[in-house]
Amino acid sequence: MALARRGGQLSTSRRKRANPHRPALHAAFRSSTLRETVFLVGLVVAIFFVAWTYHFIQLCLDLNTEGGEDHGDRKLPGLVSPERSKIESEARQLRGSASVDNERQSIKRSKATKGGFERFVGIALDLSGLEPNETLHRLDTEDPFGTRNFDKKLMEEETRLGRILTMEEIEKLFPCPQIEERITLPDFRIEAKAKAFRDGVKGTFLFFQHLRKAGGTNFCSLAEKNLPKRAQPRYYCMPDMAWSGNKNAGYLHSWSNEEITRRMKEHRIAGNEWENFDPTRHFDLPAVFATSFRHPLDRALSQFRFECVEDRGCHEKDIHRWWEKRSDLKNIYTKTFADPAVGAKRYFRGSENSQQRRMFMSTAIGTLSKFHIVLSMEWLAYAAPQVKGTLGFKDVSALTTRVRPHIGQAKREDGQDTNALGSASIKKASWVPEEYLDEKQYTKMSEDLALDEVLTDVARRMFLERLVCTDLGGGVPTG
Ligand SMILES: *[C@@H]1O[C@H](CO)[C@@H](O)[C@H](O)[C@H]1NC(C)=O
């Protein structure tokens, strides 16, 4: 594989755009004093008008969505509440979207069903503010998202029965929680976007945020089985390989929305593997959004095995030295969805950086809540209903067939090509961190991934709720 390198395309998005006000200003200054004065007075009036209109619109939105609800209980100083950022994002969408009515309805719906989102975000932020060892300890002992307990029972049941479970069996282990206990309510996904994709509306596509070694390749082959040939980029699911003249693939933060939309042409899938998701603008694309998680430590180990042990562009065989060098991999999930400024890693420990960690987590969960599909690699065998319902895919065989990238380069003889055992089988095929790593390294890497542990539990709960709950758009969207 041509290992694409970071940064090659940075210039495309950072290109300076000419200030549209300049010519007008020059013209005004060239003309007579009178015209100059009239122009400046006009400018001041216009600024006042714009500011007032903005204020007025905000007031309307506030009245529309907050009336009568108790607010501020969970709010943190300096933090954008999820409700607020949702309103702002929807207001942004309102300006650019043709389906204004749909957006209004979704704002109304979120008022009608309060759900458990804010409560769970509160828990996640409190966990994130702790020191990493405390974060991990609380996750282990309290399992606040209920996913660890479920996972343990699922593995036991699959192993006992020697097959994946039926929906009834799943529901016995994880019944659909009541509304106030659902992290997926209110539903922040814009269903109109998923529907447009399912309906094959021209220009719409599937934006896949690919976390390395977390099930992305399965997902890509799943998409390829369900899209016509002309809709598939040549290089895996990454159309920007062609846009960059075969230099980079999976670098969608480096391309502006305008460039992405213009260049997609007939392609209907875009994988973003090497760069962060940009929550300030990527949601404005005419796309349905999907991603896949995996246990953070398993993922890290898998990347080490894939790149270094199996010699794909890395020759460091010592995992201690490798992890030291790859500080970019610390809390990589959280960084991917929060898209913080460079240098975020210096806030990952220390009580003085607690507030920063809370902010990263707040943004990351806010981003994730707008993804139409949040998968868990270990549970891919159970993803069919969501993939069919949300994306409209019909052939879901890829979800139960293990696909290994570049299988010819380093074929593994582990007899795990068919995922008949569900999550129990995935576990068997991966390196077990508890066994591969010495205790000190296990602790170090776990702590360096503490925020990702929180985010993964959040993601898994989203997946689970959408699997077992079918009402209120908590699960597969209706209509
Ligand atoms: C976390 O580390 C601190 C400092 O080393 C220690 O005092 C504390 O007991 C640890 N907490 C847990 C749960 O291990």
Side-chain angles (χ1 to χ4, degrees), residues 261-277:
T261 320
R262 178 160 46 81
R263 287 168 184 268
M264 281 301 283
K265 300 211 171 72
E266 286 206 78
H267 289 156
R268 299 208 71 211
I269 182 163
N272 187 28
E273 178 166 358
W274 297 91
E275 288 189 323
N276 293 342
F277 186 86

Side-chain angles (χ1 to χ4, degrees), residues 131-138 447:
E131 288 304 304
N133 69 335
E134 298 284 350
T135 308
L136 296 172
H137 181 70
R138 290 266 300 272
E447 290 181 1

Side-chain angles (χ1 to χ4, degrees), residues 211-317:
L211 302 169
R212 299 223 70 208
K213 312 307 295 169
T217 311
N218 287 56
F219 192 85
C220 182
S221 41
L222 167 81
E224 285 175 345
K225 282 200 165 81
N226 289 278
L227 294 172
K229 205 92 219 123
R230 64 173 192 287
Q232 302 170 21
R234 282 258 181 85
Y235 186 78
Y236 295 88
C237 289
M238 297 177 272
D240 56 324
M241 187 60 138
W243 309 345
S244 66
N246 293 328
K247 283 206 206 80
N248 294 303
Y251 285 73
L252 294 183
H253 199 292
S254 295
W255 298 90
S256 72
N257 280 9
E258 185 274 321
E259 284 166 324
I260 296 172
T261 320
R262 178 160 46 81
R263 287 168 184 268
M264 281 301 283
K265 300 211 171 72
E266 286 206 78
H267 289 156
R268 299 208 71 211
I269 182 163
N272 187 28
E273 178 166 358
W274 297 91
E275 288 189 323
N276 293 342
F277 186 86
D278 187 343
T280 67
R281 66 177 171 94
H282 276 149
F283 284 121
D284 297 336
L285 289 165
V288 60
F289 299 89
T291 192
S292 174
F293 278 70
R294 180 184 188 178
H295 271 313
L297 201 48
D298 287 342
R299 192 217 68 81
L301 212 52
S302 174
Q303 181 170 357
F304 172 68
R305 176 186 182 181
F306 181 79
E307 289 176 5
C308 307
V309 178
E310 295 175 358
D311 287 314
R312 293 186 188 89
C314 159
H315 304 289
E316 179 57 75
K317 307 283 179 199

